[in-house]
Each structure stands twice: as structure tokens, then as C-alpha cells.
Amino acid sequence: VQLVESGGGLVQAGGSLRLSCLTSGFSVDDYTVGWFRQAPGKEREGVSCMGTRDGSKYYADSVKGRFTISSDNAKTTMYLQIDRLQPEDTAVYYCAGGRETATLAFVDGYGVDYWGKGTLVTVSS
């Protein structure tokens, strides 16, 4: 199983990015999938995830209304659309998947079986 993120970069505050997570040996339909981020000097934070059973979506309060999680029809690529970027969104973003079905537990890092290596998002003010 591999998860490979892409789409990070340097962007000005107020701009947008779409992060992608290409999966292999793994179907987005079979696992809870989501995005985490880790800013310099801070702990890892679960920002969004999608449940498998009911398609429920979770967003951290800090990103609600600005981040949108989705997947493609083939269920092999996951996306995170980030709008109205803020300097505090600067972080390495990781996609992840796991068997934990409770989204609140998943974003706390429980039941995460697979991690990507991350993509850096830098937001300039």
C-alpha cells in the first residue's frame, strides 16, 4: 500500500491549493481516509476525513468552510481543496487511511494504518 501526496507549494494568503493523494493497493471506499497536518514546532493535527460507511465528512473547526475533502470516481485518489489560505495553514500535509470507522477517533490518529510522506504547504502573508 502506498499513499503519495502532491500539490503543495508556496502560495499567498487568500489563495487556493488542491492537494492530491494517489493511492495504490488501497481503495478509498474500503477505509476511512483523511488529511493531517503538522506545522513547525506543533503537534500533528487531523484536519479532515471521510468515513467509508456513510460517506460522512469531518472538518476541524479551524478549517471548516475553507477545506473540502473528496475523492475521484475510481476511488484511488483523494483530494483536499484548500481555499482562502492563511499563514497559519503553513504545514506539512499528510494523507492517511485506516480501518477506524469513527471519524473523531481517526482524526486523533487512532486506527490509522497507512500514511503518506507529506507535501509542504507554505502560505506567505
Side-chain angles (χ1 to χ4, degrees):
V1 173
Q2 281 191 319
L3 285 72
V4 180
E5 303 93 338
S6 61
L10 174 63
V11 64
Q12 286 189 330
S16 298
L17 280 176
R18 188 174 80 158
L19 306 183
S20 300
C21 176
L22 178 63
T23 71
S24 60
F26 181 99
S27 171
V28 171
D29 255 358
D30 295 334
Y31 294 87
T32 298
V33 292
W35 292 89
F36 295 75
R37 69 184 180 185
Q38 188 163 20
K42 294 189 177 180
E43 292 188 354
R44 184 186 64 205
E45 173 190 21
V47 296
S48 182
C49 70
M50 290 192 298
T52 59
R53 293 184 177 178
D54 57 5
S56 60
K57 296 180 180 180
Y58 164 89
Y59 297 97
D61 287 343
S62 58
V63 307
K64 276 181 184 175
R66 300 189 300 117
F67 286 26
T68 305
I69 190 171
S70 64
S71 63
D72 66 348
N73 289 335
K75 305 300 182 182
T76 58
T77 303
M78 182 172 56
Y79 302 101
L80 186 68
Q81 176 69 36
I82 309 176
D83 296 318
R84 301 193 306 279
L85 276 155
Q86 303 168 357
E88 49 266 38
D89 294 320
T90 294
V92 177
Y93 285 72
Y94 301 89
C95 64
R99 287 162 286 183
E100 175 59 61
T101 56
T103 54
L104 289 179
F106 183 87
V107 294
D108 280 342
Y110 294 103
V112 177
D113 299 307
Y114 307 108
W115 293 92
K117 292 185 177 181
T119 186
L120 176 63
V121 173
T122 304
V123 184
S124 63
S125 57

